[in-house]
Amino acid sequence: MLRWYVIYSKPSAEVVAQVNLPRLVQSVRWRQQRRERIVPLFPRYLFLRLREGSQPLGPARSSVGVSGVVRFGCRYAVVADEVICHLQARADPLTGLQRLTSPAPLVAGAAVRIATGPFDGLEGIFQREDGAERVVVLLTLLGQDTPVRVPARWVLPHSDSLGRRANAAKRVVKPDGQTASC
């Protein structure tokens, strides 16, 4: 029976020890420009398919760039065929590269919810991006609207009761005391 085993490579040696390496196209910001680079989908982890019982793992363990075979106690880590098939099905048929789909970008004034960290569960209004991986969210803290910088991965779109608050935040108070929507 053929089984997929998990191989742990040495740091940055995935390509040298390449057996079955799912790769990913990643968009990165470098010198104020967006560029794409190819990186491993699972850094330092590779998949090796062997016939159980008749093909030993010894040669794989001693291959260049391999640190060892992943184990749980005395048992080797085995990945189900369905998982590997799913990874292969998601890959681009021409290049074999994976592309992660990113969520739709948030727009200023959108209702959001903080999903983790010290502000977990709080709702606020998205204001703007602050660098490559942080955003500014307007949270009501101690009765005041306060801009807070948090990692972008903590923020999720939220469409419940904040719609009214987000619209209220877009209103501008004129010098004569009247309000106008932006």
Side-chain angles (χ1 to χ4, degrees):
M1 168 186 241
L2 288 172
R3 291 196 173 218
W4 288 98
Y5 293 94
V6 182
I7 306 296
Y8 192 63
S9 73
K10 294 179 180 174
S12 301
E14 296 94 346
V15 177
V16 174
Q18 183 172 353
V19 179
N20 184 358
L21 174 63
R23 296 173 301 153
L24 165 71
V25 176
Q26 183 181 55
S27 179
V28 293
R29 190 175 234 152
W30 187 69
R31 293 188 181 179
Q32 304 299 326
Q33 295 178 352
R34 282 255 180 240
R35 294 191 178 190
E36 289 186 341
R37 67 180 186 162
I38 298 172
V39 296
L41 184 59
F42 306 109
R44 297 189 67 185
Y45 290 94
L46 309 165
F47 301 106
L48 174 65
R49 191 172 192 191
L50 293 176
R51 188 168 308 280
E52 186 178 33
S54 64
Q55 291 178 302
L57 279 168
R61 276 196 309 263
S62 61
S63 295
V64 175
V66 171
S67 183
V69 179
V70 177
R71 298 176 187 237
F72 298 110
C74 295
R75 301 183 69 189
Y76 290 113
V78 176
V79 178
D81 285 337
E82 295 81 30
V83 173
I84 301 297
C85 288
H86 179 73
L87 286 171
Q88 290 172 340
R90 284 193 56 201
D92 182 280
L94 297 176
T95 63
L97 299 175
Q98 304 277 337
R99 288 194 181 268
L100 297 181
T101 56
S102 59
L106 295 169
V107 295
V112 295
R113 183 176 56 84
I114 309 293
T116 189
F119 301 112
D120 184 17
L122 292 180
E123 299 173 354
I125 299 171
F126 177 79
Q127 284 194 315
R128 62 184 167 83
E129 290 183 3
D130 186 37
E133 297 182 15
R134 298 183 75 78
V135 295
V136 177
V137 176
L138 190 63
L139 297 177
T140 301
L141 301 173
L142 302 173
Q144 276 190 320
D145 286 342
T146 307
V148 178
R149 287 172 179 78
V150 295
R153 66 182 183 278
W154 290 6
V155 178
L156 299 174
H158 188 62
S159 59
D160 289 347
S161 61
L162 274 182
R164 292 185 302 274
R165 185 168 164 231
N167 288 337
K170 291 181 183 177
R171 290 192 194 116
V172 175
V173 179
K174 294 181 179 179
D176 60 359
Q178 296 178 354
T179 60
S181 295
C182 294

